């Protein structure tokens, strides 16, 4: 996971005592969020500034003690530490919901850039796994809209969450599978079965019967070789 610590993104200190409130019990799982505003993609060297801006909105606009999310994932797949694993988030709607699940934001908008990138899905998956393995989160996975009246995290991210947040398909070409005899046969428009003498005489002939024919042929050849050998022994 490409974690960007608070020190690395230049976070402001959170307010105490509220910003330091720990979770009082284990988390059921993880809720995903989107920005819910217009968002346009940007070069990665501007992502930290955007996270600082979100923190300022939450602290100065909303009056919260810190950025609301547990983690924030940019379109380049980096995972920014928000309230982290032990401090209770303030993004899920109310205290009970904040207690219940971690809050992971994918930096996509309700307009502009609305679909997460593959790198971002990978980063979000990393954050979910991190919450589970290091933060004791259970396997429940959903969105801000679960149990709270909001469109967040948007239909695309929500559908992904409900599929279990699968990693995007890798673009690395799969190792080419060797073709089976049958594949080659079908690719060659099957001249072999048509020319098979068995097919003409047997109405129930199937492509797989060819294997039987080859086996029979091999056995005949073996017997023929044996006969020739026997004759040679007799002649010697
Ligand atoms: Zn949300
Ligand atoms: Zn970025």
């Amino acid at each position: 996971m490409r974690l960007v610590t608070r020190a690395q993104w230049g976070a402001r200190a959170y307010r105490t005592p509220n910003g330091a409130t720990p979770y009082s019990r284990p988390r059921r799982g993880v809720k995903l969020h989107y920005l819910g505003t217009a968002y346009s993609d940007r070069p990665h060297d501007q992502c930290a500034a955007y996270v600082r801006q979100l923190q300022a909105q939450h602290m100065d606009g909303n009056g919260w003690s810190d950025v609301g999310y547990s983690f924030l994932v940019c379109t380049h797949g980096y995972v920014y530490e928000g309230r982290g694993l032990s401090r209770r988030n303030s993004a899920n709607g109310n205290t009970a919901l904040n207690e219940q699940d971690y809050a992971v934001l994918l930096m996509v908008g309700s307009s502009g850039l609305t679909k997460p990138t593959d790198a971002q899905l990978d980063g979000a998956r990393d954050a979910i796994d991190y919450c589970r393995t290091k933060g004791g989160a259970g396997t429940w996975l959903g969105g801000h809209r679960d149990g709270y009246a909001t469109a967040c995290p948007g239909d695309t991210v929500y559908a992904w969450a409900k599929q279990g947040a699968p990693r995007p398909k890798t673009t690395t070409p799969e190792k080419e599978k060797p073709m089976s005899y049958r594949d080659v046969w079908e690719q060659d428009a099957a001249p072999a079965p048509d020319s098979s003498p068995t097919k003409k005489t047997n109405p129930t002939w199937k492509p797989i019967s060819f294997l039987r024919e080859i086996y029979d042929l091999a056995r005949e050849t073996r017997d023929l070789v044996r006969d020739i050998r026997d004759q040679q022994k007799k002649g010697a």
Side-chain angles (χ1 to χ4, degrees), residues 12 189 220:
R12 275 161 61 180
E220 279 169 30

Side-chain angles (χ1 to χ4, degrees), residues 169-189:
K169 288 202 172 60
T170 162
T171 50
T172 314
E174 269 184 64
K175 216 177 161 189
E176 226 173 79
K177 218 175 94 186
M179 285 179 95
S180 69
Y181 175 73
R182 197 178 196 122
D183 293 336
V184 176
W185 188 332
E186 280 163 9
Q187 182 181 283
D188 292 349

Side-chain angles (χ1 to χ4, degrees), residues 2-229:
R2 289 180 290 182
L3 182 70
V4 184
T5 64
R6 293 175 66 87
Q8 284 169 336
W9 62 263
R12 275 161 61 180
Y14 53 82
R15 295 191 190 104
T16 53
N18 286 354
T21 306
Y23 287 105
S24 61
R25 54 186 166 88
R27 267 63 65 215
R28 173 183 65 166
V30 176
K31 273 185 178 169
L32 301 183
H33 296 257
Y34 74 164
L35 291 162
T37 56
Y39 184 72
S40 53
D41 203 12
R42 58 206 67 218
H44 182 60
D45 61 12
Q46 294 174 25
C47 289
Y50 194 86
V51 173
R52 289 195 296 271
Q53 185 190 316
L54 283 174
Q55 186 191 28
Q57 277 173 27
H58 288 182
M59 293 181 77
D60 304 332
N62 302 4
W64 296 347
S65 304
D66 192 3
V67 65
Y69 307 107
S70 307
F71 296 96
L72 308 87
V73 186
C74 76
T75 54
H76 314 94
Y78 288 78
V79 179
Y80 292 79
E81 180 189 19
R83 300 214 187 187
L85 295 176
S86 55
R87 290 188 297 119
R88 190 171 70 201
N89 74 80
S90 64
N92 288 340
N94 60 46
T95 302
L97 296 173
N98 297 338
E99 275 282 350
Q100 194 169 42
D101 300 298
Y102 282 114
V104 171
L105 168 80
L106 283 80
M107 284 159 60
V108 290
S110 49
S111 62
L113 181 81
T114 58
K115 279 192 72 178
T117 65
D118 281 358
Q120 194 168 24
L121 293 178
D122 256 329
R125 180 73 236 184
D126 291 341
I128 293 163
D129 289 343
Y130 189 60
C131 290
R132 288 179 181 177
T133 58
K134 303 285 181 190
T139 55
W140 189 90
L141 191 57
H144 189 179
R145 65 172 68 169
D146 287 312
Y148 192 79
T150 173
C152 184
D155 291 343
T156 307
V157 173
Y158 188 70
W160 182 69
K162 286 295 143 186
Q163 284 162 24
R167 288 202 183 269
K169 288 202 172 60
T170 162
T171 50
T172 314
E174 269 184 64
K175 216 177 161 189
E176 226 173 79
K177 218 175 94 186
M179 285 179 95
S180 69
Y181 175 73
R182 197 178 196 122
D183 293 336
V184 176
W185 188 332
E186 280 163 9
Q187 182 181 283
D188 292 349
D194 290 334
S195 62
S196 162
T198 317
K199 191 181 183 183
K200 286 180 184 138
T201 55
N202 179 5
T204 61
W205 192 91
K206 292 191 188 86
I208 198 74
S209 309
F210 194 71
L211 292 176
R212 180 77 209 180
E213 287 171 30
I214 288 173
Y215 177 73
D216 288 345
L217 191 66
R219 209 168 43 182
E220 279 169 30
T221 308
R222 184 198 61 191
D223 292 347
L224 190 67
V225 168
R226 195 182 287 156
D227 289 349
I228 293 169
R229 207 181 280 148

